[in-house]
Amino acid sequence: MPIVKVNSQSRIKQFSTYTLTTLIFIVLCAGVAFSQVPVQKPSPTPLPTAVDGTFKNPDAPLTTFEEEMRAKREIKIAEKDHEENLNRAKEIGEIGKQLKEDNASTDHDRSKKIDRRSKPTKKVRSEAGGEDEEITISPRPTDLPGAIKQIAEASETLSKDVQKTPRRVVSTSVINNANVLLELIKLARGFFH
């Protein structure tokens, strides 16, 4: 008996259509299934525990003990900031003394010392509650030696003023002295260039 080969073109088309339809059906079912899965929300952060192990609501008012602890912490931070400000003022005064006493150093060394004074002076002024403002200096230095002399004097004045000012006081004299010193530094930079 001879083998009869049946033309299978129609079968291939029929199989391809069936396969394609099945694939589309599977993809749609998977999409529907994934959309049905609930999205897991991140778990809320646990409430902070107190010393005794109980949970505390962050919106609840503080107890007397907690208020005292917070106040003590704030006082320590303020004292630390004040101590850092006093150290800056001492550094400014020391550099002023060095400038006054050291006539043999080069202009480059003097320029570095003057530039080193700018940043701590701005921080001292900021701690005193001041901002940058226009200052007119009288008498205005006309040369580098005159500017250095005035910078040294202003540095020592600012240092002493900061050291004698209590921690909680906003001192206008500290702010003014800092602004004068910063203006003198700006003028001295002009003499170096």
Side-chain angles (χ1 to χ4, degrees):
M1 190 159 163
I3 298 179
V4 178
K5 210 173 186 183
V6 179
N7 190 351
S8 61
Q9 288 295 334
S10 64
R11 279 187 172 171
I12 292 176
K13 283 184 183 177
Q14 203 176 27
F15 180 73
S16 296
T17 305
Y18 176 74
T19 307
L20 184 60
T21 307
T22 306
L23 247 152
I24 290 174
F25 179 74
I26 291 172
V27 169
L28 286 175
C29 287
V32 169
F34 280 117
S35 68
Q36 297 296 319
V37 174
V39 177
Q40 290 192 1
K41 297 178 184 174
S43 62
T45 56
L47 294 173
T49 57
V51 177
D52 61 358
T54 60
F55 289 104
K56 175 126 175 102
N57 184 354
D59 297 330
L62 298 175
T63 64
T64 307
F65 176 73
E66 290 170 330
E67 287 175 0
E68 286 179 19
M69 292 303 292
R70 179 177 283 172
K72 286 180 181 180
R73 191 174 330 119
E74 289 173 0
I75 290 170
K76 283 187 178 190
I77 291 171
E79 286 174 348
K80 181 183 174 206
D81 290 344
H82 183 67
E83 189 65 34
E84 288 174 359
N85 205 34
L86 288 174
N87 290 337
R88 282 187 212 106
K90 289 175 186 174
E91 178 188 353
I92 291 168
E94 288 297 318
I95 295 172
K97 287 179 185 176
Q98 291 172 6
L99 276 175
K100 192 183 255 187
E101 295 168 356
D102 191 15
N103 294 327
S105 49
T106 65
D107 285 348
H108 181 70
D109 292 338
R110 288 179 177 170
S111 173
K112 279 186 172 184
K113 286 180 183 177
I114 289 171
D115 284 341
R116 275 189 17 218
R117 183 169 302 113
S118 181
K119 191 173 180 179
T121 303
K122 287 179 182 177
K123 286 185 179 182
V124 164
R125 179 186 63 194
S126 174
E127 286 292 319
E131 297 177 351
D132 194 19
E133 57 186 60
E134 290 292 318
I135 294 287
T136 54
I137 297 173
S138 179
R140 189 176 177 94
T142 56
D143 59 353
L144 184 59
I148 289 174
K149 181 181 177 194
Q150 283 185 325
I151 288 172
E153 291 170 357
S155 297
E156 289 179 27
T157 302
L158 176 62
S159 178
K160 289 176 184 174
D161 207 11
V162 170
Q163 291 178 30
K164 73 177 183 181
T165 303
R167 177 171 52 97
R168 295 184 184 191
V169 174
V170 175
S171 174
T172 56
S173 66
V174 169
I175 296 168
N176 288 335
N177 288 335
N179 282 328
V180 166
L181 181 56
L182 289 169
E183 185 66 26
L184 286 168
I185 290 170
K186 196 183 308 180
L187 289 172
R189 286 180 182 151
F191 291 129
F192 286 116
H193 298 136

